Amino acid sequence: MDWVGGAVGGLFVFVSTVAMLVLLAWASRRVMGAPVGWVRAALVSLVAITGASGALTGGLRAAGWADDDGVLAVDPWVALVAIVLVFAWAFVLGLCVLLVLEVLVPTGTVPTPWRAVRRLRQGRRETRRYAQVMTIALRHGLGGAFGRTRRADGTTTSRTDVRRLAVGLRDTLSDAGVTFVKFGQTLSTRRDLLPDAVTTTLATLQSDVPPAPPDQVADAVAEALGRPVDEVFAAFDPVPLASASVGQVHAARLLDGREVVVKVQRPGAREQVAVDLAILGRLARRLERDTAWGRSLGVVALADGFAASLREELDYSVEAENTRALRAGLDVVTHDGASSGPLVVVPEVVDGPSGPTLLVLERLHGTPVGQAQALLAGLDAASRRELADRLLRAALDQLLVAGTFHADLHPGNVLVLVADGTADGGLGLLDMGSVGRLGEPERIALGSLLLAIDGDDAIAATDALLELLDPPAGLDARRLEREVGQLVLRFRAGAGAGAAFAGLVRLVTAAGVAVPPQVAAAFRTFAALEGTLDLLSPGYDLVAAARDEGRPLLSRLVTPEAVRRKVTQQLMGFAPELERLPRRVTRIVSDLEQGRFTVAVRAFSDPADRAFLSGLVQQVIMTLVAVGAVVGAVVLLVADGGPMLAPDLPLFTVLGAALGFVGTVLAVRVLVLALRGTSRDRW
């Protein structure tokens, strides 16, 4: 039975030790007030307990308070005081160690073992891919672009250098794979940040992606459906209609006979995109760290925005929601107030089989504008202009009236509908993965901007622009007004809409004005739309047509009925205040007549101000108390004389050690608060 008693005793010691470690770790986190890792706190506590136990045993024997067998030779209360002080100071030293660790290696920077193994596997893939991308970049002459530079402005010395860089960047992105190709296509729309030579060169990027094997596609569709393909589709064409970087589109027929298209995510697309985005982020951070042009362009922000957009594109349920939203605003009202029906066709979403990796849509029979030149050649100029007018009117209606708009109307996303082999005068929209939304204030401001440009009113255009954007506090409005006036003249002189809106974005960003993402998407819509309209009707003047087509739409925003409804809504909100207004005016007049009128100003009425002041006062008081406690502890520890608790144990020494413990704990807390205030992103 001795082994049973030994096992029970060992189990008790183990449980009590674990409980003490957890208690000390919890106390350390509470005292520091910082999210210190539990594993780190427990390990430091274990070291502190072990060290304190050894120091206590050796100290008791050295002082003659215990013999070699551990039998106490002093009053137990004196030994208890010594034990408490030793473990208290071990706790304080553990806090100091934790503080130093958090400063040097914050919690979270060192991964847990299982995370380390997972990161190691992923890191090897990323390293191989990173080396591959860097090799491609060096092969196309971009080695100098990745090196450190001493140029302060980040500009190049000649147009030849810019063109050479643009060609090398295009070829590098093209060879690096589909994710980088899509990034280059995104950069080609940022004329507000990149030179025209770069954006024009990047606009030629094409993603030539071979289709996935049919058996892999069938498995991916069955996995997304959660059942065999033939239980949902009566027919499924294994040869894709189109193949892109993230997914590919197949023709199919439902069991009820409806013809549909099935957009299925390519097998392994998420994993490949995750690796490529990690590589892209690493390259962006390196460029922004080592190059002046990378810092001036903010390539990290560009890469982060692209990564967020591409991750959203991987979720087809978002595209399904966007498609429904665009269909909801299709019915356009004509100039005389009657319904003209939809100007363009948006396919209907088939809800049942659609999901995050599979999207089933009504099939539209037609040809993308970029591939429909032979089809459009069979139409006369008037019919082609009518198609362009319909597309522009639909885009303006989405932007100014519905508020939900297709943000990527390039020639590949607009379909010329076909009936019996010829164009039937209709247009369809594809790929609703990129959709923007504007609220009523933004739509009114955008309409006001277009009206001001049409009326050559630089002042009104500036006011509308500032209503659309986020102006900084020190903005030179007069200078911005003059520059907007020059840009308005470019609009009215027939400058291309893409170049004009790109110039508008460059102008406001140079003035330090932040452009909200949805407003930037609206501006880019006009730039993408210009090329599509020119293919539909060569020589199409987007600015002049927008002026003609936009007036009726803008008038719908300010109709008497709309204004009356808006005023009624606002008056309903003001009604309680209006009822109280006469009584309040009477009270103010009475106080003025009798000399009792006063104005009370409450300092620190804002909760954030009160919290800041309270925290500051708390930190100052804690600092003073900590300093006072430490100074008092030093005075007591060096003081001579005083009562004795035991031989060689003065009372002042015990009090000094206890006071020093309190002061040191408070000092650690003050340092934690100070460090959290200066680097909150790390704590």
Side-chain angles (χ1 to χ4, degrees):
M1 297 297 292
D2 292 339
W3 68 271
V4 176
V8 172
L11 180 61
F12 175 76
V13 171
F14 175 77
V15 172
S16 59
T17 302
V18 171
M20 184 178 296
L21 287 178
V22 173
L23 180 62
L24 286 176
W26 174 82
S28 301
R29 290 166 55 93
R30 292 288 296 176
V31 169
M32 293 186 67
V36 180
W38 279 100
V39 175
R40 174 178 299 189
L43 290 177
V44 171
S45 299
L46 177 61
V47 173
I49 290 176
T50 304
S53 300
L56 182 62
T57 302
L60 290 176
R61 291 174 179 174
W65 292 0
D67 56 21
D68 294 339
D69 296 330
V71 179
L72 294 176
V74 295
D75 189 339
W77 289 104
V78 175
L80 179 62
V81 170
I83 293 172
V84 170
L85 288 178
V86 169
F87 278 97
W89 273 98
F91 176 74
V92 168
L93 293 177
L95 288 181
C96 295
V97 172
L98 282 176
L99 178 62
V100 173
L101 288 176
E102 286 298 316
V103 172
L104 298 179
V105 188
T107 296
T109 56
V110 178
T112 57
W114 50 90
R115 286 175 58 192
V117 172
R118 187 174 60 185
R119 284 186 181 182
L120 181 61
R121 295 178 57 189
Q122 183 178 358
R124 286 195 303 198
R125 292 181 59 194
E126 292 181 5
T127 301
R128 287 196 301 267
R129 180 70 169 140
Y130 182 77
Q132 180 185 5
V133 173
M134 291 300 298
T135 302
I136 294 172
L138 293 174
R139 187 170 68 242
H140 290 292
L142 292 185
F146 290 91
R148 294 183 183 271
T149 176
R150 295 184 179 181
R151 296 185 61 87
D153 54 0
T155 58
T156 53
T157 56
S158 69
R159 294 183 180 179
T160 304
D161 294 334
V162 176
R163 286 195 294 269
R164 187 182 301 114
L165 175 65
V167 172
L169 181 61
R170 179 200 61 193
D171 294 341
T172 298
L173 295 176
S174 178
D175 292 347
V178 291
T179 303
F180 292 89
V181 169
K182 291 183 70 68
F183 183 60
Q185 292 171 344
T186 301
L187 289 180
S188 69
T189 65
R190 298 306 304 267
R191 296 178 180 269
D192 55 317
L193 296 178
L194 299 174
D196 290 338
V198 177
T199 56
T200 302
T201 304
L202 292 180
T204 62
L205 276 171
Q206 298 295 328
S207 180
D208 185 13
V209 183
D215 55 341
Q216 293 185 11
V217 174
D219 292 341
V221 174
E223 182 180 356
L225 292 172
R227 45 186 165 164
V229 176
D230 54 9
E231 292 186 10
V232 179
F233 302 107
F236 185 89
D237 190 353
V239 179
L241 298 173
S243 180
S245 57
V246 175
Q248 55 190 52
V249 180
H250 294 258
R253 188 173 69 254
L254 295 174
L255 297 178
D256 59 7
R258 283 183 294 170
E259 292 189 352
V260 295
V261 293
V262 180
K263 185 175 182 180
V264 58
Q265 197 166 103
R266 296 172 66 90
R270 290 177 180 267
E271 293 76 10
Q272 184 61 47
V273 167
V275 173
D276 283 349
L277 289 181
I279 298 300
L280 191 62
R282 188 189 302 183
L283 287 173
R285 289 190 295 272
R286 177 175 176 179
L287 289 174
E288 190 156 315
R289 182 194 65 202
D290 294 345
T291 65
W293 65 269
R295 288 188 293 274
S296 65
L297 293 180
V299 292
V300 171
L302 282 174
D304 290 344
F306 169 74
S309 175
L310 191 55
R311 290 191 184 99
E312 184 176 288
E313 188 176 337
L314 288 172
D315 187 357
Y316 288 168
S317 59
V318 175
E319 183 174 346
E321 180 184 349
N322 294 338
T323 305
R324 297 187 192 97
L326 285 179
R327 281 182 59 85
L330 282 179
D331 195 25
V332 177
V333 179
T334 59
H335 300 181
D336 57 2
S339 175
S340 65
L343 292 169
V344 294
V345 179
V346 173
E348 181 182 2
V349 178
V350 181
D351 291 321
S354 296
T357 60
L358 189 76
L359 182 61
V360 182
L361 299 169
E362 168 194 4
R363 183 174 184 181
L364 303 181
H365 292 277
T367 305
V369 171
Q371 305 171 12
Q373 292 310 300
L375 183 64
L376 292 171
L379 301 177
D380 56 29
S383 299
R384 298 184 67 166
R385 181 173 179 83
E386 174 61 24
L387 283 176
D389 287 340
R390 288 172 68 88
L391 179 60
L392 176 61
R393 199 178 310 139
L396 290 175
D397 183 80
Q398 291 175 0
L399 281 164
L400 301 178
V401 181
T404 301
F405 60 94
H406 197 303
D408 195 16
L409 292 175
H410 64 75
N413 284 341
V414 180
L415 203 66
V416 179
L417 301 182
V418 176
D420 297 329
T422 60
D424 66 352
L427 296 171
L429 302 184
L430 303 176
D431 192 7
M432 270 60 71
S434 180
V435 168
R437 290 174 174 83
L438 292 176
E440 185 180 19
E442 288 81 10
R443 298 201 305 272
I444 293 177
L446 181 60
S448 301
L449 176 63
L450 295 177
L451 284 177
I453 292 173
D454 182 38
D456 197 11
D457 189 343
I459 298 177
T462 304
D463 292 340
L465 196 60
L466 294 179
E467 186 68 26
L468 268 175
L469 308 177
D470 299 325
L475 177 67
D476 187 351
R478 179 58 180 162
R479 178 181 177 182
L480 180 63
E481 182 181 306
R482 289 194 297 268
E483 294 175 344
V484 169
Q486 297 175 6
L487 198 60
V488 167
L489 291 178
R490 288 182 58 191
F491 270 101
R492 294 183 59 81
F501 275 104
L504 185 63
V505 175
R506 281 199 193 100
L507 186 152
V508 297
T509 51
V513 180
V515 182
Q518 296 298 328
V519 177
F523 287 171
R524 289 198 300 271
T525 297
F526 285 105
L529 186 61
E530 184 179 26
T532 306
L533 293 174
D534 188 66
L535 289 176
L536 285 173
S537 178
Y540 192 82
D541 189 347
L542 172 58
V543 175
R547 187 182 306 138
D548 297 334
E549 299 291 343
R551 285 197 189 99
L553 296 175
L554 293 174
S555 64
R556 290 170 54 188
L557 297 176
V558 291
T559 60
E561 180 61 30
V563 173
R564 182 165 55 251
R565 183 172 61 253
K566 191 71 174 178
V567 171
T568 301
Q569 293 174 352
Q570 293 180 349
L571 286 178
M572 289 294 293
F574 284 132
E577 297 298 326
L578 292 175
E579 291 180 357
R580 300 187 186 98
L581 184 61
R583 184 169 66 254
R584 292 176 176 175
V585 171
T586 302
R587 185 185 306 164
I588 292 174
V589 172
S590 176
D591 290 343
L592 285 172
E593 289 178 346
Q594 300 179 20
R596 297 180 305 183
F597 183 77
T598 58
V599 177
V601 179
R602 180 182 175 186
F604 301 104
S605 59
D606 187 84
D609 294 340
R610 292 198 301 272
F612 169 76
L613 183 62
S614 299
L616 184 62
V617 171
Q618 177 186 7
Q619 192 166 351
V620 170
I621 293 175
M622 196 180 303
T623 303
L624 294 176
V625 173
V627 171
V630 172
V631 171
V634 172
V635 171
L636 289 173
L637 289 173
V638 300
D640 294 329
M644 303 292 289
L645 290 179
D648 300 329
L649 184 61
L651 176 62
F652 288 169
T653 300
V654 174
L655 293 179
L659 197 58
F661 167 77
V662 174
T664 307
V665 169
L666 291 177
V668 171
R669 177 75 174 185
V670 169
L671 287 175
V672 170
L673 291 175
L675 292 173
R676 290 185 67 185
T678 56
S679 61
R680 289 184 179 274
D681 56 333
R682 294 178 57 191
W683 287 75

